[in-house]
Amino acid sequence: MKTSAQGLELIARFEGFSPVPYRCPAGWLTIGYGHLITRADGEKFKAGISEPVAMALLRMDVVLAESAVHRAIKVPLTQAQFDALVSFAFNLGGAALYSSTLRQVINRGDMLAAPAQFRRWVWAGGRKLLGLIRRRSEEARIFAGEPNPADR
């Protein structure tokens, strides 16, 4: 299973686009749609990037999150459930998904308990962040297959 166009849009929307390097709330040097700048990148992004380049980086980066979901989750998922989990893993890392109660609940097949588990992951840098509260709520809603209130 691969992330859908809606899943990529979800990640891009919550990551936000920055054409220049910045420090995310957790303190990581980042650019584009949440692309972590590593030492190996060196000065590669110093002059900034365009939105198409940022989207290409997102498509490459999301593969790691997809792999983390495939490794961690052992039960069948819907496309929406997969997209929500990829967004979670993209934002928090595969290790967070793997060590989470969210993973345990899903692998037990208790899909009704999963949305509450998403909502527990709203802290960064020792602070509860409104952006993470919103993101986890949206991931939980998508995972549960609930309609988007904005579409009503």
Side-chain angles (χ1 to χ4, degrees):
M1 189 173 277
K2 297 283 185 191
T3 307
S4 70
Q6 293 84 2
L8 285 173
E9 188 278 327
L10 170 72
I11 295 168
R13 181 166 32 101
F14 279 104
E15 291 295 331
F17 170 67
S18 176
V20 295
Y22 68 97
R23 293 228 176 253
C24 74
W28 299 100
L29 191 58
T30 310
I31 195 166
Y33 293 108
H35 176 76
L36 296 179
I37 299 173
T38 66
R39 289 179 201 246
D41 291 325
E43 301 291 313
K44 182 177 178 180
F45 299 114
K46 188 175 183 179
I49 60 172
S50 66
E51 195 166 358
V53 169
M55 189 53 74
L57 286 171
L58 174 60
R59 285 187 181 97
M60 288 187 322
D61 292 343
V62 82
V63 171
L64 294 173
E66 289 170 343
S67 294
V69 173
H70 286 298
R71 282 191 312 274
I73 305 301
K74 304 302 179 194
V75 297
L77 298 169
T78 66
Q79 183 67 56
Q81 290 169 334
F82 183 78
D83 288 348
L85 287 167
V86 169
S87 175
F88 180 93
F90 184 91
N91 182 234
L92 296 164
L97 174 62
Y98 201 83
S99 67
S100 71
T101 305
L102 172 62
R103 177 187 66 85
Q104 294 170 13
V105 163
I106 292 169
N107 282 337
R108 280 198 311 261
D110 191 357
M111 301 306 188
L112 294 177
Q117 294 301 317
F118 277 95
R119 293 182 177 100
R120 296 177 60 207
W121 292 82
V122 296
W123 297 83
R127 299 175 307 167
K128 195 173 195 177
L129 300 181
L130 182 58
L132 291 179
I133 293 168
R134 289 181 178 143
R135 184 175 188 154
R136 296 291 99 80
S137 291
E138 183 69 1
E139 290 165 349
R141 182 193 66 74
I142 289 168
F143 186 91
E146 297 170 3
N148 187 344
D151 293 342
R152 293 182 186 171

